[in-house]
Amino acid sequence: MKSIHHLFTVLFVLFLTGCKDTPKDTPKDTTTAEPQETVTITHELGTVEVVKNPKQVVALDYASLENLKVLGIAVAGIPKSHVPDYLQDYKTNEAIVDLGTMFEVNYEQLSALEPDVIFISARMKSNYDELSKIAPTVYLQTDTSDNLASIEKNLLVFADIFDKKKEATSIITDLKTRVQTLHEQVTATDKKALMIMHNNGKFSAFGSDSRFGVLYKAFGFKEAVDHLDAARHGQAVSNEFIQDINPDYLFILDRSAVVSKQATNTATIENELIKQTQAYQNGKVVYLDPQAWYISGDGILSFKIKIKEVSDHL
């Protein structure tokens, strides 16, 4: 009898122990991650949803890089082939991935970055569809019919994405003030200007409807000659043409200095015919920074360089 009682006691203890050790069912976590806030950006090539304050940012053009810089936004990758001198800290920063050139992106490196957003301009326009497969891609280009308004519009795109509206507004206000001051100074001179590009011994001229029309429309110079071809690389002209037009100011962009990275000897450009112009005789032949005028386009920093260059030579 005692044995039976002892057996029941042991079984009862084991039962209690089993109940104690059996884990209770853990309630399943039915909560879901908060959806990320996005911004809808509409541009020339389409409409895209971009996550607010993206972390992995790629700039495949230098105007966008400039705008990100002035707003204090870090970048993960850029093309390092032709980085302007005033952006050299990005080229030497090993933490920033080199993504190729302004025309040919290294897709393997780009994909490895897993970017949240990619910014491009005209030189990468044909790559838009392919880039969009990797990450939301925003196309930003300057409207040369009104450079300043276009610059403002582009900067505000960055401001919307990165919550930098206050900073962007301050930057634009400052830029407009600089342009207004320069415009007043230029118009007071009542002088005519000619913008030319030099490339391997050849000249092309640009008027108010060209990619460099800002010299006339925003800065205030009169055109030394009307109705120039508005083609992207300008209207081919001769030394005789420049002599005949005889501008008060001759602004020269040496394309060779950035394309082949070898500046042309000024003696080659300033030949006997050029020396007969009012511009040359009055010391108003101005060599423009080709990195700011040709490589970058119209980022905030390059536009400030343009303003200062013209202002310094009035």
Side-chain angles (χ1 to χ4, degrees):
M1 191 71 180
K2 287 183 178 180
S3 297
I4 295 174
H5 179 73
H6 179 71
L7 178 61
F8 274 109
T9 301
V10 171
L11 290 173
F12 182 71
V13 171
L14 289 173
F15 173 77
L16 291 178
T17 303
C19 290
K20 182 178 180 181
D21 291 341
T22 301
K24 295 181 180 179
D25 290 338
T26 303
K28 292 182 179 180
D29 185 3
T30 58
T31 61
T32 57
E34 287 290 327
Q36 290 182 299
E37 184 180 358
T38 61
V39 184
T40 302
I41 304 297
T42 300
H43 53 82
E44 182 183 323
L45 302 183
T47 299
V48 63
E49 292 290 326
V50 180
V51 64
K52 197 86 168 177
N53 292 309
K55 303 303 180 185
Q56 286 290 90
V57 179
V58 165
L60 295 181
D61 74 287
Y62 299 128
S64 290
L65 181 59
E66 291 178 27
N67 291 342
L68 289 164
K69 182 180 178 69
V70 297
L71 291 176
I73 307 301
V75 297
I78 64 168
K80 294 189 176 183
S81 61
H82 288 80
V83 178
D85 291 343
Y86 52 88
L87 294 173
Q88 281 299 300
D89 51 327
Y90 289 93
K91 185 171 184 176
T92 57
N93 187 339
E94 295 182 358
I96 298 175
V97 177
D98 184 0
L99 296 175
T101 74
M102 297 181 295
F103 297 96
E104 296 183 10
V105 64
N106 185 323
Y107 280 100
E108 184 177 354
Q109 292 276 46
L110 178 61
S111 297
L113 274 179
E114 298 183 352
D116 296 315
V117 63
I118 301 170
F119 294 101
I120 66 170
S121 62
R123 291 186 177 101
M124 278 285 169
K125 187 175 183 178
S126 62
N127 299 78
Y128 177 76
D129 290 339
E130 195 66 27
L131 292 169
S132 296
K133 295 176 183 177
I134 298 174
T137 301
V138 180
Y139 175 79
L140 298 172
Q141 182 61 12
T142 302
D143 179 359
T144 55
S145 66
D146 191 341
N147 293 67
L148 192 57
S150 186
I151 290 171
E152 178 177 9
K153 180 181 177 181
N154 288 346
L155 189 66
L156 290 177
V157 169
F158 292 99
D160 287 342
I161 295 173
F162 295 98
D163 282 329
K164 295 284 186 176
K165 184 66 177 291
K166 181 179 179 180
E167 292 87 342
T169 300
S170 176
I171 291 168
I172 291 299
T173 299
D174 172 67
L175 199 65
K176 287 181 176 179
T177 300
R178 293 173 188 240
V179 171
Q180 180 62 33
T181 299
L182 176 58
H183 187 274
E184 292 172 357
Q185 293 172 338
V186 170
T187 53
T189 68
D190 196 36
K191 299 296 184 181
K192 294 182 178 181
L194 179 64
M195 170 79 178
I196 64 170
M197 180 188 292
H198 177 266
N199 185 37
N200 294 325
K202 297 180 180 180
F203 291 116
S204 54
F206 296 82
S208 61
D209 293 327
S210 73
R211 63 196 292 193
F212 302 121
V214 64
L215 191 66
Y216 311 102
K217 291 181 177 178
F219 296 170
F221 280 103
K222 292 182 177 180
E223 291 185 83
V225 57
D226 296 326
H227 310 302
L228 285 170
D229 190 340
R232 183 162 182 78
H233 290 290
Q235 177 177 317
V237 297
S238 64
N239 292 300
E240 290 80 8
F241 175 89
I242 298 171
Q243 178 200 22
D244 184 56
I245 294 302
N246 194 25
D248 298 309
Y249 281 82
L250 183 59
F251 292 97
I252 300 175
L253 173 61
D254 183 13
R255 183 174 180 269
S256 301
V258 287
V259 175
S260 62
K261 299 184 180 181
Q262 182 64 49
T264 306
N265 190 321
T266 56
T268 302
I269 299 175
E270 297 170 4
N271 54 56
E272 291 305 314
L273 294 177
I274 299 298
K275 288 180 179 179
Q276 294 178 34
T277 63
Q278 288 291 318
Y280 182 86
Q281 293 174 7
N282 293 323
K284 298 301 181 182
V285 175
V286 182
Y287 288 87
L288 301 171
D289 182 344
Q291 296 180 330
W293 286 80
Y294 187 78
I295 294 294
S296 287
D298 280 327
I300 295 297
L301 297 179
S302 54
F303 203 72
K304 285 182 178 180
I305 290 173
K306 295 175 185 180
I307 294 170
K308 187 176 188 306
E309 278 191 318
V310 173
S311 179
D312 286 348
H313 290 90
L314 291 178

